[in-house]
Amino acid sequence: MKALLQAFDQSDWQEMTVMIGGDRLHVSRLGSSDGPPPPSAPQPAGAVPPPAPEAAPPPSAPAASAPPVSAASAGSNGAIEIPPGTQITAPSVGLFWRAPSPGAPPFVEVGSPVAAGETVAIVEVMKLMSHVTAPVSGTVSAVLAENGQAVEFGQVLVVVDAEA
Amino acid sequence: MKALLQAFDQSDWQEMTVMIGGDRLHVSRLGSSDGPPPPSAPQPAGAVPPPAPEAAPPPSAPAASAPPVSAASAGSNGAIEIPPGTQITAPSVGLFWRAPSPGAPPFVEVGSPVAAGETVAIVEVMKLMSHVTAPVSGTVSAVLAENGQAVEFGQVLVVVDAEA
Amino acid sequence: MLRRVLIANRGEIAVRIARACHAEGLEAVLAVSDADRGSLGAQLADRAICIGPAPATESYLDIDRLLAAATVTGCDALHPGYGFVSERPELPEACAEAGVTFVGPSAAAMRRSGDKATARAAARALGIPIGDGSDLLASAREAREVADQLGYPVLLKAAAGGGGRGMRRVQGPGEMPAVFTAAAAEAQQAFGDGRLFMERFVTSARHVEVQVLADGQGKVIHLGHRDCTLQRRYQKLVEEAPADGLAPGIGDDVLDAATRLIGSMDYQGAATCEFLVDAERATSAFLEINARLQVEHPVSEMVTGVDVVREQLRIAGGAPLSVTQADVAPAGHAIEARINAESPSRGFMPAPGTLERWVQPSGPGVRVDTACFPGWTITPYYDSLLAKVIVHARDRLEALERLRGALGDLHVAGVPTTAGFVMDVLAHPDVRSGRVHTRWLEETFVPSWSPRVAA
Amino acid sequence: MLRRVLIANRGEIAVRIARACHAEGLEAVLAVSDADRGSLGAQLADRAICIGPAPATESYLDIDRLLAAATVTGCDALHPGYGFVSERPELPEACAEAGVTFVGPSAAAMRRSGDKATARAAARALGIPIGDGSDLLASAREAREVADQLGYPVLLKAAAGGGGRGMRRVQGPGEMPAVFTAAAAEAQQAFGDGRLFMERFVTSARHVEVQVLADGQGKVIHLGHRDCTLQRRYQKLVEEAPADGLAPGIGDDVLDAATRLIGSMDYQGAATCEFLVDAERATSAFLEINARLQVEHPVSEMVTGVDVVREQLRIAGGAPLSVTQADVAPAGHAIEARINAESPSRGFMPAPGTLERWVQPSGPGVRVDTACFPGWTITPYYDSLLAKVIVHARDRLEALERLRGALGDLHVAGVPTTAGFVMDVLAHPDVRSGRVHTRWLEETFVPSWSPRVAA
């Protein structure tokens, strides 16, 4: 990850456009990054200001530091308790982002109402941004990964209490 | 087994005495053997007439022919159905004998009453004769090995319906 | 120096690479699909990370996911194994972009060596015989002109690929247009590249190849030759080292050709140069380069004592090779048999299932490379390789005998295997005497073979 | 020719022998105790027959039951393995009586070779150095007289036995009476034979031994020497072939002595001659003969390519050895580590249990002889050997490294193992440089060792 972000930092890209399914994502950035390496988070359509690292909620667990290898074969959410409800899982290995860009508010918080098809998070696979959408309408009852965290395919990211 | 019986046949022994626990078994034989090699069955105390091969019940499965190696890991009684009751098992690998000597009537038949401690069969381990005794009084409901058959440790030989 | 390696593969080779990483003091992270979370490789690696669902297109064939797995787990290197994306130049490119060391050649060297037409041209430039044939063919008409000169039958081959896809035999000029079109279409579908070239068809051909290691700093050595003549539908079944019974000079010729060719390519890592040996004419012809680890690398390891995967890791980490050419003195004879979960009596149909029983052979001169264990399930998503049973003995006949014994001690329940078929192959007089060619299995052995009852 | 072999043993060696039988085209019948009905050996053998309950005295140590198992299953040969009754001359006697071929020497040859005092006398008669010591000692008084001449410390040893039982060090004349009595009592209890003899105690001794094969028709060859210096309480822990770094001449001396000694004994089968090498004086002294297969035979197999167990079976069947002395050219270096189900941090207490996990190493130059598999239960009835992990490499340092790597890839859950302890031993500078003696483990290594946390 460090290497990836270094490569990203060291590139002279000012804009990046990514196609996902029918969605077109476009990122533009200005100026240099600072602090913990910024996630290369996308922004729908149009140029945005440079990402402010501290804006990415929550600020813990910087994604750029190589996570220590753990003996645990991850695959699931490990010791985290998953509340009942409709589970939304990661469609791929990648980085988990709660917001469309580091400066932006998160897609959802616990308690947020969501509509079926609405984006609840992004999983980034080598600069390719996958929107993770709610399969049902309801209320978010848990967000189980931290912003910028590495996630595996199948890992539960968000739980939604479906409407009755 | 063939080799053992050959060695036995070829020996010039006329008598054999074996001590088992407190029991003393003594076998004496006269004349040459004929037909299927005679089991070297013992006889308590005293000389007896030469064994008549056909007297050993049942006459099937001559013990002297090397049994074909079977892929089945024996250990149990294989496909034989074991009726309910008190199971009397083989105390060792060896040959199963139903009678004290080939000419003699079997210790027990299905339906025979037996008293606790009574001999129901013999397992022969290299000429050493182990008496197999009933642990309970009752009626013999099954005899699960054939005369002269090779048996394994733990194999069920005889089943006794214990008295109420 | 490397520190942590992402293994972008599965099955026995993932296990093999994880162990080589540990032997080199490196951490091993295994990228697994959803179907492989409980695999032996996942158990042995320091960490496993699930990259996608079971289908390979969404997991082991997805370069982005593989690189994401490498970067989010802090890996500084990636080992591609064999198969899957191991021969796609986009992989070393993506690694370079992400700052991850690729365990293998550069994308440029992979392109140079992997493209058959380019590699043939390079060989010809070095004076290495490439066999009668053509450069790239522009059309069926050009193909027919070349074939008329070479003499029929000829073989059309895909420039981009291997494994028999895009490869067709042409018996006479009349069928050239149709076969050319079909072969080009097949190559296009398989490799995204429909270019074809032609070779004279050799009636009695042996497949001989040379294992090469190049440190990327100018040092190129070989680990002797292998014979992989026993093939079924271009899939190798039994591989040996060394290639016994070659005509005088042929063995040295291919060793020399392989090291010179790889040495000319600014290549780094392990490579295999394949040759076709014409047994009747006692000639060898360069065929192609495999720019990766090969399934059959263990036979070279057995006779030379060199650990090919560890050398790959050393090279990638910038260390020199641990051996010189002078150290390499192949001793004895090694044979590998690939055992698949297939039903030989049903046309070698792959047969997935759960291993109710898995007891593998062991003993002097016996090695088993496998990811199987009792209870593991062979899924239908990937190839059907269960294990490579490898033996080493003092000479070829002893090795054949040892391999048959070892296969007899392989006890599998839950899936059918090709072990009995391979045992019968090994017992055949033609195999024992070495009188086989690359089509012998299909044309001679298989038609006459029937499974023994109650094997 | 033999046809069907009863294996009168259990564990890894039963598996090893069953596979050798199959390699020789022989059927294998395994005698099992009630506790071993589900063992790997029972699965691999053509048939298993349960001979008695779990305790060894009523199963593997009961010669009558073993012979009954052989005869009722139609076996024409019996292989005793190692341990249990393998060194009891009553076994070949009982086999001869029952008309079953014993895979090993005659009872007479076993007695000649197995009795330490007899064997020492035979060696002396051939001019083989036997080290300073005594013949059989009649009394503690005689022992003191001999010891006064040899110089203290001295070692009292049981004539009949091995494994350290009846063996005591005597530091000075004052303690001779008490130690003599204790050693004689221990020998009497262990072997039913309280006779003792004495040797000068060697401060810096290496244990070197020679694997010998004798065809019983006058041909006697050796398979090179082994070093078994790393011992704990007279139990070998790590064994190597060849014995590296011997003073000039010593290696050839022991090879020559071993073949001459076995050649003088009308011996048939495999035997090992053990020698004590005094590193300070650069001398060797004959110690004893093991008239059976040894646990550490695989290291000799790895460097020579000769399958010792198959040769045993060939010899027993009247076939000539498959190799001549000229064929035996040890190549590379092999090391074996015995891995036990013991807790090193609790004084190496054996720890039975069920193998919740058993993943064994594999790869180039790695061999594992074991009867373990996932789910198998290690019972408290027998020894605690889980596996022998054996490696072969080009030289000793590479072999040490390879063995450490292999042990790191041994994954066991359910019982504690000595793998971590052995890995630490292998990493020690004294072991790497070969500066160890037979008491080094106990006196130097173990006292300073502590298990690494979270290994």
Side-chain angles (χ1 to χ4, degrees):
Chain A
M1 181 64 200
K2 192 175 281 175
L4 164 68
L5 290 178
Q6 279 171 357
F8 187 85
D9 284 353
Q10 287 156 15
S11 78
D12 50 6
W13 298 342
Q14 291 300 317
E15 296 190 9
M16 175 169 72
T17 305
V18 179
M19 309 293 293
I20 299 177
D23 295 342
R24 178 170 172 279
L25 301 179
H26 179 87
V27 189
S28 154
R29 67 171 186 189
L30 305 166
S32 64
S33 64
D34 57 339
S40 55
Q43 169 81 355
V48 292
E54 69 275 17
S60 66
S65 70
V69 161
S70 125
S73 173
S76 70
N77 295 57
I80 298 175
E81 206 173 303
I82 302 175
T86 300
Q87 298 181 354
I88 307 176
T89 60
S92 168
V93 67
L95 295 178
F96 174 76
W97 299 115
R98 293 193 57 181
S101 72
F107 294 110
V108 294
E109 301 272 18
V110 172
S112 299
V114 290
E118 187 180 330
T119 295
V120 297
I122 281 171
V123 171
E124 175 190 351
V125 185
M126 303 308 287
K127 303 198 186 83
L128 196 92
M129 304 298 161
S130 277
H131 277 212
V132 179
T133 57
V136 294
S137 300
T139 306
V140 172
S141 61
V143 178
L144 295 163
E146 294 189 354
N147 199 52
Q149 182 188 323
V151 294
E152 295 188 79
F153 170 79
Q155 186 171 339
V156 180
L157 304 175
V158 174
V159 180
V160 173
D161 261 349
E163 281 162 2
Chain B
M1 180 66 200
K2 190 175 283 175
L4 164 69
L5 289 178
Q6 279 171 355
F8 187 85
D9 282 353
Q10 287 157 13
S11 78
D12 50 6
W13 297 341
Q14 292 299 318
E15 297 191 8
M16 174 169 73
T17 304
V18 180
M19 308 292 294
I20 299 177
D23 294 342
R24 177 171 173 280
L25 301 177
H26 180 87
V27 189
S28 154
R29 68 173 187 189
L30 304 167
S32 64
S33 63
D34 57 339
S40 55
Q43 169 80 356
V48 293
E54 68 276 15
S60 66
S65 70
V69 160
S70 126
S73 172
S76 70
N77 294 59
I80 298 175
E81 204 172 307
I82 302 175
T86 300
Q87 299 180 353
I88 306 176
T89 61
S92 169
V93 68
L95 295 177
F96 174 77
W97 299 115
R98 293 193 56 179
S101 73
F107 293 110
V108 293
E109 301 272 19
V110 172
S112 298
V114 289
E118 187 179 331
T119 295
V120 296
I122 281 171
V123 171
E124 176 191 350
V125 185
M126 303 308 287
K127 304 196 186 85
L128 196 93
M129 305 297 163
S130 277
H131 276 212
V132 179
T133 58
V136 294
S137 299
T139 306
V140 171
S141 60
V143 178
L144 295 162
E146 293 188 356
N147 199 53
Q149 181 188 323
V151 295
E152 295 188 79
F153 169 79
Q155 186 171 339
V156 180
L157 305 175
V158 174
V159 180
V160 173
D161 261 348
E163 281 161 0
Chain C
M1 272 298 290
L2 309 177
R3 194 173 57 91
R4 192 182 294 169
V5 179
L6 185 93
I7 302 169
N9 216 299
R10 65 177 302 284
E12 66 87 18
I13 200 62
V15 171
R16 173 79 185 86
I17 297 167
R19 284 176 166 149
C21 286
H22 293 159
E24 278 292 305
L26 305 174
E27 293 177 356
V29 177
L30 183 59
V32 295
S33 79
D34 199 35
D36 285 339
R37 286 181 193 268
S39 67
L40 186 62
Q43 294 175 48
L44 289 175
D46 299 286
R47 180 178 173 182
I49 182 158
C50 186
I51 59 172
T57 47
E58 295 174 70
S59 50
Y60 302 109
L61 289 171
D62 186 330
I63 290 177
D64 282 336
R65 296 195 199 222
L66 293 168
L67 262 300
T71 52
V72 304
T73 57
C75 288
D76 49 12
L78 181 150
H79 195 305
Y82 55 68
F84 293 123
V85 289
S86 64
E87 292 179 277
R88 280 174 54 184
E90 296 83 359
L91 182 61
E93 267 167 8
C95 285
E97 243 174 74
V100 171
T101 300
F102 179 69
V103 181
S106 67
M110 193 185 270
R111 287 202 170 89
R112 267 194 295 277
S113 54
D115 184 90
K116 290 188 186 185
T118 313
R120 273 170 68 92
R124 187 161 43 194
L126 291 170
I128 297 166
I130 54 167
D132 301 331
S134 73
D135 290 330
L136 290 176
L137 299 165
S139 65
R141 170 186 293 200
E142 188 190 341
R144 197 157 75 181
E145 288 168 8
V146 175
D148 287 345
Q149 289 195 316
L150 286 175
Y152 290 89
V154 296
L155 212 55
L156 288 173
K157 286 181 147 185
R165 286 173 299 179
M167 195 188 300
R168 297 290 176 94
R169 200 199 303 194
V170 187
Q171 296 290 3
E175 62 181 61
M176 181 63 82
V179 177
F180 186 92
T181 306
E186 191 174 294
Q188 179 68 40
Q189 190 178 22
F191 313 113
D193 179 349
R195 295 174 303 148
L196 301 176
F197 66 100
M198 185 189 297
E199 285 174 357
R200 192 171 58 77
F201 183 82
V202 176
T203 312
S204 186
R206 280 178 68 180
H207 176 111
V208 174
E209 62 185 30
V210 179
Q211 176 69 59
V212 178
L213 293 173
D215 69 356
Q217 297 159 32
K219 198 171 153 199
V220 181
I221 68 169
H222 67 77
L223 300 182
H225 37 59
R226 298 188 285 250
D227 181 292
C228 313
T229 300
L230 287 171
Q231 308 182 353
R232 202 189 134 267
R233 300 197 178 164
Y234 305 105
Q235 296 297 317
K236 295 165 185 166
L237 184 83
V238 172
E239 300 107 338
E240 314 188 20
D244 266 13
L246 294 175
I250 295 282
D252 288 343
D253 284 352
V254 297
L255 296 177
D256 174 66
T259 43
R260 282 197 298 129
L261 184 54
I262 297 299
S264 75
M265 289 192 162
D266 194 15
Y267 193 96
Q268 173 175 311
T272 299
C273 295
E274 298 189 345
F275 298 86
L276 182 153
V277 171
D278 186 329
E280 291 170 356
R281 304 182 180 204
T283 57
S284 69
F286 167 73
L287 282 180
E288 67 180 78
I289 296 171
N290 289 301
R292 53 164 172 82
L293 187 65
Q294 281 194 284
V295 178
E296 60 269 27
H297 75 275
V299 290
S300 299
E301 295 181 329
M302 299 299 267
V303 295
T304 63
V306 177
D307 184 325
V308 173
V309 183
R310 287 186 66 179
E311 297 300 327
Q312 287 188 296
L313 294 168
R314 288 176 63 88
I315 294 167
L321 296 173
S322 75
V323 286
T324 67
Q325 188 66 67
D327 296 333
V328 177
H333 196 90
I335 313 183
E336 170 181 291
R338 302 191 193 186
I339 305 304
N340 295 330
E342 295 172 358
S343 180
S345 55
R346 295 183 187 179
F348 295 88
M349 191 165 66
T354 295
L355 295 172
E356 291 153 26
R357 191 159 177 229
W358 177 265
V359 179
Q360 64 194 44
S362 70
V366 176
R367 165 179 168 187
V368 181
D369 280 17
T370 187
C372 290
F373 57 89
W376 174 240
T377 295
I378 314 301
T379 57
Y381 302 107
Y382 319 109
D383 71 29
S384 58
L385 181 68
L386 289 171
K388 304 179 330 200
V389 178
I390 308 130
V391 299
H392 186 212
R394 285 168 296 178
D395 58 40
R396 184 168 184 272
L397 284 183
E398 189 177 277
L400 282 168
E401 190 195 354
R402 181 165 283 175
L403 182 52
R404 286 188 70 208
L407 293 178
D409 280 332
L410 176 68
H411 296 252
V412 182
V415 298
T417 84
T418 53
F421 174 78
V422 174
M423 287 172 77
D424 290 346
V425 170
L426 297 173
H428 196 285
D430 289 356
V431 171
R432 292 178 60 84
S433 64
R435 284 193 309 269
V436 295
H437 53 77
T438 50
R439 291 163 297 104
W440 177 87
L441 258 187
E442 281 163 274
E443 295 181 359
T444 305
F445 185 80
V446 172
S448 69
W449 178 81
S450 60
R452 279 170 294 182
V453 184
Chain D
M1 271 299 291
L2 309 178
R3 194 174 57 91
R4 191 181 294 168
V5 179
L6 185 93
I7 301 169
N9 215 299
R10 63 177 304 283
E12 66 87 19
I13 200 63
V15 172
R16 172 80 185 84
I17 298 166
R19 286 177 165 149
C21 286
H22 292 159
E24 279 292 305
L26 305 173
E27 293 176 356
V29 177
L30 182 60
V32 295
S33 79
D34 199 35
D36 285 338
R37 286 182 193 267
S39 67
L40 186 63
Q43 295 176 47
L44 289 175
D46 299 286
R47 180 178 173 181
I49 182 159
C50 186
I51 59 172
T57 47
E58 294 173 72
S59 50
Y60 301 109
L61 288 171
D62 186 329
I63 290 177
D64 282 338
R65 295 195 199 222
L66 293 169
L67 263 299
T71 53
V72 303
T73 57
C75 288
D76 50 12
L78 181 150
H79 195 306
Y82 55 69
F84 292 124
V85 289
S86 64
E87 292 179 277
R88 280 175 54 183
E90 295 84 358
L91 182 61
E93 268 167 9
C95 284
E97 243 173 73
V100 171
T101 300
F102 179 69
V103 181
S106 68
M110 193 184 271
R111 287 202 171 87
R112 267 195 295 279
S113 54
D115 184 272
K116 290 188 186 185
T118 314
R120 273 170 67 93
R124 187 161 45 194
L126 291 170
I128 295 166
I130 54 168
D132 301 331
S134 74
D135 289 331
L136 290 175
L137 298 165
S139 64
R141 171 185 294 199
E142 187 189 341
R144 197 155 76 180
E145 288 168 7
V146 175
D148 287 344
Q149 290 195 315
L150 285 175
Y152 290 90
V154 296
L155 211 55
L156 288 174
K157 285 181 147 184
R165 286 173 299 179
M167 194 189 300
R168 297 290 176 94
R169 199 199 302 195
V170 188
Q171 297 291 3
E175 62 183 61
M176 181 62 83
V179 176
F180 186 93
T181 307
E186 192 174 295
Q188 180 67 40
Q189 192 178 20
F191 313 112
D193 179 348
R195 293 174 305 147
L196 300 177
F197 66 99
M198 184 189 297
E199 285 174 356
R200 193 172 57 78
F201 183 82
V202 176
T203 311
S204 186
R206 280 177 68 180
H207 176 112
V208 174
E209 61 185 30
V210 179
Q211 177 69 59
V212 179
L213 294 173
D215 70 356
Q217 297 159 30
K219 197 172 152 199
V220 180
I221 68 168
H222 67 77
L223 300 183
H225 36 61
R226 296 189 285 251
D227 181 292
C228 313
T229 300
L230 286 171
Q231 307 183 352
R232 201 189 135 266
R233 299 195 180 166
Y234 306 106
Q235 295 297 316
K236 294 164 187 167
L237 184 82
V238 173
E239 301 106 337
E240 313 187 23
D244 266 14
L246 293 176
I250 296 282
D252 288 343
D253 284 353
V254 298
L255 296 177
D256 174 66
T259 44
R260 283 197 297 130
L261 185 54
I262 296 299
S264 75
M265 288 191 163
D266 194 14
Y267 193 96
Q268 172 174 313
T272 298
C273 295
E274 297 189 343
F275 297 86
L276 182 153
V277 171
D278 187 330
E280 291 171 356
R281 304 182 180 204
T283 57
S284 70
F286 167 73
L287 282 181
E288 67 181 79
I289 296 171
N290 289 302
R292 51 163 172 83
L293 186 65
Q294 281 195 283
V295 178
E296 60 269 26
H297 75 275
V299 290
S300 299
E301 295 182 329
M302 298 298 267
V303 294
T304 63
V306 177
D307 185 324
V308 173
V309 183
R310 287 185 67 179
E311 297 299 327
Q312 287 188 297
L313 293 168
R314 287 177 64 88
I315 295 167
L321 296 173
S322 75
V323 286
T324 67
Q325 188 66 66
D327 295 333
V328 177
H333 197 90
I335 313 183
E336 170 181 291
R338 303 191 192 185
I339 304 303
N340 295 329
E342 295 173 357
S343 182
S345 55
R346 296 184 187 180
F348 295 87
M349 191 165 65
T354 295
L355 295 172
E356 292 154 24
R357 190 158 178 231
W358 177 265
V359 179
Q360 64 195 45
S362 71
V366 176
R367 166 179 168 187
V368 181
D369 280 18
T370 186
C372 290
F373 57 88
W376 175 242
T377 295
I378 314 300
T379 57
Y381 301 107
Y382 319 109
D383 71 29
S384 57
L385 182 67
L386 289 172
K388 304 180 327 201
V389 178
I390 307 131
V391 299
H392 186 213
R394 285 169 295 178
D395 58 41
R396 184 167 184 272
L397 284 183
E398 189 177 277
L400 282 168
E401 189 195 355
R402 182 164 282 174
L403 182 52
R404 286 188 69 207
L407 294 178
D409 281 331
L410 176 68
H411 295 252
V412 183
V415 299
T417 84
T418 52
F421 173 78
V422 174
M423 286 173 77
D424 290 345
V425 169
L426 298 173
H428 195 284
D430 289 356
V431 171
R432 292 178 61 84
S433 64
R435 285 193 309 269
V436 295
H437 53 78
T438 49
R439 291 163 297 104
W440 178 87
L441 257 188
E442 280 163 275
E443 295 180 359
T444 304
F445 184 80
V446 171
S448 69
W449 179 80
S450 61
R452 279 170 294 182
V453 184

